[in-house]
Amino acid sequence: MKTVEELEARLAEPSQALIDDLAAMEGDILILGVGGKMGPSLARLAANAVRQGGLSKQIIGVSRFSNAQARQELEAAGVKTIACDLLNDEELQRLPDARNVIYMAGNKFGTTGREYFTWAMNAYLPGRVAEKYKHSRIVVFSSGNVYPFSPVGSGGVNESVAPEPIGEYAQSCLGRERVFEYFAHQNQTPMTIYRLNYAIDMRYGVLLELAKAIQEGREIDVTMGYANVIWQGDANEMALRCLNHCGTPPAILNVTGPETMSIRWAAGELAKRLGKEALLTGTESDTALLNNASRSHQLFGYPRVSLLQLIDWTAEWVQAGGHTWNKPTHFQERKGKF
């Protein structure tokens, strides 16, 4: 893959399992916060699955849509779009009802200095949405940041581990979960809490950050020496399929790749492909932010795209000068400052 068009087409390829799951699910799918990093590709994936399955189901994407082109591209892909400021309650209440809701709205970067906005987006808004869609199934995007760091040899934390969020962003993510959980109990709304670490798209992600540092001759700090990654197409597919696994109280599901990826190893693999040297600094800590996603793999199978394939694609993308987004993951952060 060397062009955005090729990337978008690959991200939007549905599996037969996804088509079958959507066919077994009644009602339209409403995606709140569709304008973020993952939203457009998730919406196109859902639209393609509906089209290929011959399903009578509508995919509706809701966002402020400050980028008119992004909205036009979604419409062209078969997604109905609605412009809405979700924090404006009058606009929120005018949104159509939907049997299935994917909640992707939230704020992470720029939290420091605007903590109030992050808490409004991540913890206040969920209550308004949960009340509005109390008769729907809801998949709530969350983050592995709600978990404590774990020993690098532990295999990561599973869903039974109690949250211990570090920093206000992670704390507000737990706030989002708890507010949705309250309304799930109050209204008997079936939900899935979808805890994701770290999605990979050629335009952003942990591997891209490593590859760009190598290409530009910058040092890579390996103090946060390990991470989990998953192809964004696989993460999107699992999110949509989670609609068939919602429960009350909410089901909780970790979503990421199966490997505990060494940053030192990944940098070395990328450096070989780029024909450069990886300039590493620091010493790996004994702990890292690591999720064990074996339960999601049991439900949905292993990700279709392997880690080595992601490394190959990332190196090719960087060598070709592919388009990138200025949306760093800050995976190296150990104090929760975003």
Side-chain angles (χ1 to χ4, degrees):
M1 290 185 295
K2 296 183 180 179
T3 69
V4 170
E5 291 74 22
E6 291 171 329
L7 170 61
E8 293 288 8
R10 184 66 65 95
L11 283 167
E13 290 178 353
S15 70
Q16 188 59 49
L18 174 61
I19 294 171
D20 292 344
D21 270 9
L22 295 194
M25 178 196 314
E26 63 180 39
D28 297 335
I29 299 175
L30 180 73
I31 305 166
L32 299 177
V34 76
K37 287 187 296 188
M38 294 180 65
S41 60
L42 183 146
R44 279 189 288 267
L45 175 66
N48 282 350
V50 166
R51 185 163 44 250
Q52 292 181 28
L55 310 179
S56 57
K57 196 182 302 291
Q58 194 170 50
I59 307 303
I60 307 166
V62 177
S63 173
R64 285 191 297 268
F65 287 115
S66 53
N67 184 335
Q69 181 181 348
R71 185 176 188 180
Q72 292 167 4
E73 290 173 353
L74 283 176
E75 291 277 357
V79 178
K80 178 183 177 180
T81 62
I82 301 174
C84 174
D85 177 358
L86 294 173
L87 281 173
N88 183 318
D89 202 57
E90 291 183 3
E91 294 185 24
L92 173 64
Q93 297 307 320
R94 286 199 296 266
L95 290 177
D97 292 334
R99 186 69 187 86
N100 307 286
V101 175
I102 305 282
Y103 183 86
M104 306 182 79
N107 188 65
K108 178 177 182 179
F109 304 118
T111 290
T112 302
R114 289 188 81 211
E115 292 83 357
Y116 58 89
F117 178 72
T118 294
W119 280 93
M121 283 297 297
N122 293 355
Y124 165 75
L125 179 59
R128 306 302 303 140
V129 169
E131 188 66 24
K132 161 77 174 172
Y133 290 103
K134 61 186 174 184
H135 300 302
S136 304
R137 284 184 293 259
I138 307 177
V139 172
V140 179
F141 266 66
S142 188
S143 169
N145 284 77
V146 301
Y147 286 124
F149 288 178
S150 61
V152 297
S154 67
V157 296
N158 64 24
E159 294 87 350
S160 69
V161 174
E164 292 183 32
I166 300 172
E168 292 221 29
Y169 162 68
Q171 291 164 10
S172 72
C173 287
L174 181 58
R176 170 172 50 209
E177 292 188 12
R178 295 303 192 212
V179 171
F180 269 114
E181 184 181 7
Y182 167 79
F183 283 98
H185 284 275
Q186 191 81 352
N187 299 321
Q188 293 300 295
T189 304
M191 297 182 186
T192 298
I193 305 295
Y194 177 95
R195 291 175 176 168
L196 175 66
N197 262 7
Y198 284 101
I200 295 290
D201 174 332
M202 301 304 97
R203 293 162 294 192
Y204 79 98
V206 175
L207 294 177
L208 176 67
E209 291 166 29
L210 296 177
K212 287 182 69 176
I214 293 165
Q215 185 83 335
E216 297 166 8
R218 292 184 282 109
E219 289 186 340
I220 297 169
D221 186 353
V222 297
T223 305
M224 182 74 91
Y226 299 85
N228 304 126
V229 298
I230 185 172
W231 169 237
Q232 182 173 299
D234 287 317
N236 283 338
E237 177 152 322
M238 290 182 188
L240 288 164
R241 296 181 68 189
C242 275
L243 285 165
N244 279 332
H245 296 273
C246 294
T248 307
I252 298 175
L253 198 66
N254 292 348
V255 176
T256 194
E259 300 92 353
T260 296
M261 183 186 74
S262 160
I263 299 299
R264 183 181 296 273
W265 172 83
E269 291 296 312
L270 287 164
K272 285 190 290 187
R273 289 158 176 76
L274 294 169
K276 301 270 189 176
E277 180 184 359
L279 305 178
L280 306 180
T281 184
T283 301
E284 288 88 344
S285 296
D286 294 334
T287 61
L289 182 66
L290 298 169
N291 285 11
N292 184 319
S294 55
R295 183 164 179 268
S296 65
H297 303 152
Q298 182 183 33
L299 287 174
F300 305 127
Y302 283 105
R304 290 187 291 170
V305 179
S306 69
L307 177 55
L308 279 176
Q309 182 66 77
L310 290 174
I311 288 172
D312 287 344
W313 283 349
T314 302
E316 291 167 4
W317 190 264
V318 169
Q319 285 177 318
H323 176 68
T324 61
W325 293 331
N326 184 27
K327 295 182 177 181
T329 61
H330 294 286
F331 74 90
Q332 309 96 329
E333 178 60 48
R334 297 186 64 86
K335 296 183 179 179
K337 295 284 188 180
F338 294 103

